[in-house]
Amino acid sequence: MTVSEPSSNQSARDRAYEWVRDQIISGTLPAGRFLDEAWISESVGTSRTPVREAFHRLNSERFIDLLPRRGAQVRSVTTRELEEVYASRRLIEGHAARALCTVGAGAPVKLPALATAMEDAGREQDWFTVAKLDREFHRAIVDAHGNSVLVELYDALRSRQQRVAVRALQIRPQRVPEIDAQHRAIVAALADNDTELVTTLLNEHLRPIPEILAALD
């Protein structure tokens, strides 16, 4: 798993937040686990106060629950969360893709390389990296549309989008070849400026899988 490297100008709170977030996304900190402030402080190299501040942000983003007298506990990915993340993505990505086709913009130049990198990571079963690259692939479509408000809305989904993706891959790793094929088809449809086809492909690609939903119940 490749996690985020801290930058020199990050605050201690941000470092703690990103470290815990990435450990939860990857599954290293599984659902149900209670988080020890002292252990996280030592792991991140900071005091407990930034860790507590990070916990409040993680709680607001529904990564953890703060339980009175018990501490911070990692939340499970629920069926409702998965369905809502996918529904939000269909709205934003579908709009961006249709707009690109309408103006004849073609496929963003980054997409083929990102698709190849995802395929390589998938063969290694590095789900954290696959999810990160998947987000970059789809964000490139939204970014190419050029609507800054939609980009901001899409970026707000980032952490939950990656966690949902990792959890889905852990449940159904055999879907990886199908996902890879869908990405290639989306690139081709954008290259052809085929509005109807790219809409169909994205809707299929971002459709919750019943077997995955059942595993989350």
Side-chain angles (χ1 to χ4, degrees):
M1 180 193 76
T2 304
V3 296
S4 302
E5 292 292 335
S7 61
S8 58
N9 61 353
Q10 273 187 314
S11 69
R13 178 189 60 192
D14 288 343
R15 292 202 313 272
Y17 163 78
E18 290 189 4
W19 189 87
V20 176
R21 179 201 65 193
D22 287 355
Q23 300 298 318
I24 293 174
I25 289 173
S26 70
T28 303
L29 293 175
R33 174 159 175 177
F34 282 92
L35 304 180
D36 181 76
E37 284 184 10
W39 173 68
I40 293 173
S41 298
E42 183 178 352
S43 298
V44 178
T46 188
S47 67
R48 292 195 183 191
T49 298
V51 174
R52 295 190 191 105
E53 293 172 345
F55 281 178
H56 286 290
R57 181 175 173 185
L58 289 160
N59 178 62
S60 70
E61 294 181 357
R62 298 173 66 181
F63 277 86
I64 65 173
D65 287 318
L66 296 177
L67 306 175
R69 296 182 297 279
R70 298 185 68 190
Q73 184 180 33
V74 179
R75 290 185 60 157
S76 299
V77 175
T78 64
T79 56
R80 179 173 179 177
E81 182 177 17
L82 186 146
E83 289 173 330
E84 290 179 347
V85 168
Y86 279 11
S88 299
R89 291 183 60 192
R90 285 196 301 274
L91 287 172
I92 297 173
E93 293 179 33
H95 174 80
R98 287 190 296 273
L100 291 178
C101 291
T102 298
V103 298
V109 294
K110 296 179 180 179
L111 296 191
L114 287 169
T116 298
M118 276 185 286
E119 290 166 7
D120 293 340
R123 282 190 287 270
E124 298 296 324
Q125 296 194 351
D126 182 354
W127 306 138
F128 184 91
T129 300
V130 171
K132 179 176 179 292
L133 291 167
D134 179 74
R135 184 187 177 279
E136 291 178 18
F137 178 95
H138 289 276
R139 190 189 185 278
I141 297 171
V142 178
D143 188 53
H145 175 34
N147 185 318
S148 61
V149 175
L150 282 184
V151 171
E152 289 175 10
L153 290 172
Y154 194 77
D155 282 349
L157 293 170
R158 174 188 171 185
S159 296
R160 292 172 71 185
Q161 178 181 342
Q162 286 184 237
R163 190 183 185 202
V164 163
V166 169
R167 189 71 187 99
L169 288 165
Q170 289 170 337
I171 294 170
R172 295 279 290 178
Q174 59 269 42
R175 287 195 66 241
V176 171
E178 179 184 352
I179 292 169
D180 292 340
Q182 289 174 340
H183 282 145
R184 296 291 184 181
I186 289 167
V187 174
L190 286 169
D192 291 339
N193 296 306
D194 191 329
T195 304
E196 183 176 350
L197 179 57
V198 79
T199 300
T200 299
L201 290 170
L202 278 172
N203 285 338
E204 177 64 21
H205 183 60
L206 299 174
R207 175 181 60 86
I209 304 302
E211 294 85 353
I212 294 173
L213 295 176
L216 295 176
D217 288 336

